[in-house]
Amino acid sequence: MSPPAVTRSCLAVVLAAGQGQRMRSERPKVLHEIAGRSLLGHAIAALREAGVERIAVVVGPGREDVAAEALRLAPSARIFVQAERRGTAHAVLQARAAIAEGVDDVVVAFADTPLVRPETFRALRAELTRGATVAALGFEAADPTGYGRLIVADGALTAIVEHKDASPAQRAVTLCNAGLMAIEGRHALALLEAIDDRNAQGEFYLTDAVAKAIGRGLGARALIAPEAEVMGVNDRVQLAAAEALIQTRLREAAMRGGATLVDPASVHFSHDTRLGRDVTVEPGVWFGPGVEVADGAIIHAFSHLEGARVGPDATIGPFARLRPGAALDRDAKIGNFVEIKKSSIGAGAKVNHLSYVGDASIGAGANIGAGVVTCNYDGFLKYRTEIGDKAFVGTNSSLVAPVRIGAGAFIGSGSVITHDVAADSLAVGRARQVEKAGWARAFRLKKAQEKSDAKG
Ligand code: UD1
Ligand code: CA
């Protein structure tokens, strides 16, 4: 038996007090979304996946919305308010009370840096077990302008110098600071409190924790990540770039998990999309949040799914829309221009063309004809439609809810069904057809005469 793993306790301090003015938005920057989840949400999720059990979030004044999003994703998170923006170290120190409780590792993350992988947070923490008191995350920048530079000598990190404070020689360094840091908990408060604001920007720089550690004979190390992983989001162009990067990741994960994407670049995923094995996704498909697709299902081109469950070997689309609460059992078939909302579709049931099904349950093997509509709303409340197993609903019927159609019942085409229909019976709810022999010919003659009289 292997010895139990020694787990180090960890507190993450997530900085989310930025205004994000370059977004030009009413919404705080960190609540903008990629892959259907806020930037803040991605940061918190990665930290949790990395095994970080305590989370502190530093928000700007009056940002209850940011705090609420943090608590939605991490109910035990502690929220701290930074009343004034006085730099990254000042921001971290707002969580002083959480740091002072004592913890093995303190990790600082930025809420506007959403692509950092859990492995990277883990690797950064691991540096603390290798003799470092401070570990900074770096990257080789294509354009280093504006970033802090990592000054490395003999493999050790000796300082981080902010761009505005750097000498020409230091500005030539392309190894940049991503901003994220891990600090040994037992030293964190002393190091942070030693930082001052005597620099070009008059701010308390978190990056100075490196110099403070070295000044006390403690070690500092840098860990290098790919530039794409540590990209920050400051405006909507970068938001779109981050979206593109995360979509690439999600597509690759889907394919490695056994799904076929015929044209991967045209498929949009949410952070939580789950595809089974041998699922096929055709071009132009959109997965909003909360979609789960079981093994063997086929999603034909240009379908839009959100909050939906698709059963094994089911077929969707092309041009189908599954809205929240759509739950399809195995072998169900949803065809073109069909919308399903908050409804269960039984095994092998078919809704093949031009239908709206809302607040309904459709039994196994039922057949819903072209153009059938569940009339679920009277302008005030919503009502349910229940259709039994193997029922047949004829083309262009309106089912006025609340209404029940028994198993095996047959609804004549064009019916407006307002009363429950018993199992195995036929219901027809439309005017009976009348035929008047010769009427059309007489009508034509009469009208032709009227027209020539009017001209004469
Ligand atoms: C910071 C780093 C820099 C690094 C860069 C990477 C410092 C001093 N510098 O610079 O070395 O290359 O990130 O993008 O840390 N924040 C607050 N309160 C504050 C200040 C910042 O919450 O008072 C938050 C911001 O919202 C943001 C993060 O901290 O999420 C980084 O702040 P930002 O102003 O973007 O730092 P930079 O100057 O870019
Ligand atoms: Ca920045």
Side-chain angles (χ1 to χ4, degrees), residues 211-237:
K212 296 297 172 198
I214 290 165
R216 288 157 195 237
L218 302 167
R221 295 167 72 109
L223 178 77
I224 311 303
E227 180 165 14
E229 185 178 342
V230 297
M231 79 164 289
V233 172
N234 295 301
D235 60 27
R236 302 203 196 221
V237 174

Side-chain angles (χ1 to χ4, degrees), residues 13 15 17 58 80 82 84 86-95 204:
V13 181
L15 304 191
V58 180
F80 297 91
Q82 186 188 26
E84 258 187 294
R86 299 187 61 195
T88 44
H90 180 262
V92 175
L93 273 175
Q94 304 311 302
F204 294 88

Side-chain angles (χ1 to χ4, degrees), residues 141-306:
D143 174 9
T145 312
Y147 291 112
R149 305 300 204 280
L150 297 188
I151 310 301
V152 176
D154 302 327
L157 180 63
T158 59
I160 305 179
V161 184
E162 289 305 292
H163 183 87
K164 285 185 179 149
D165 300 283
S167 67
Q170 288 168 332
R171 287 189 182 181
V173 171
T174 54
L175 183 60
C176 290
N177 178 31
L180 314 195
M181 213 176 249
I183 308 174
E184 269 190 297
R186 62 198 168 113
H187 293 295
L189 268 189
L191 293 177
L192 291 165
E193 281 170 345
I195 292 169
D196 60 53
D197 62 355
R198 290 193 297 273
N199 52 54
Q201 302 186 82
E203 287 187 1
F204 294 88
Y205 290 164
L206 173 64
T207 45
D208 282 350
V210 171
K212 296 297 172 198
I214 290 165
R216 288 157 195 237
L218 302 167
R221 295 167 72 109
L223 178 77
I224 311 303
E227 180 165 14
E229 185 178 342
V230 297
M231 79 164 289
V233 172
N234 295 301
D235 60 27
R236 302 203 196 221
V237 174
Q238 290 172 336
L239 184 71
E243 178 80 70
L245 287 165
I246 201 163
Q247 288 300 328
T248 302
R249 269 191 206 172
L250 293 167
R251 290 169 192 140
E252 284 181 13
M255 292 186 281
R256 294 195 193 288
T260 294
L261 308 185
V262 177
D263 178 15
S266 72
V267 177
H268 179 99
F269 284 105
S270 280
H271 64 96
D272 60 351
T273 308
R274 279 163 55 192
L275 303 186
R277 290 163 73 111
D278 293 314
V279 166
T280 298
V281 181
E282 288 185 357
V285 172
W286 175 281
F287 292 98
V291 177
E292 200 180 316
V293 181
D295 296 353
I298 300 178
I299 318 292
H300 289 296
F302 305 112
S303 293
H304 190 287
L305 295 81
E306 184 182 358

Side-chain angles (χ1 to χ4, degrees), residues 1-8:
M1 245 174 57
S2 55
V6 180
T7 49
R8 293 167 63 92

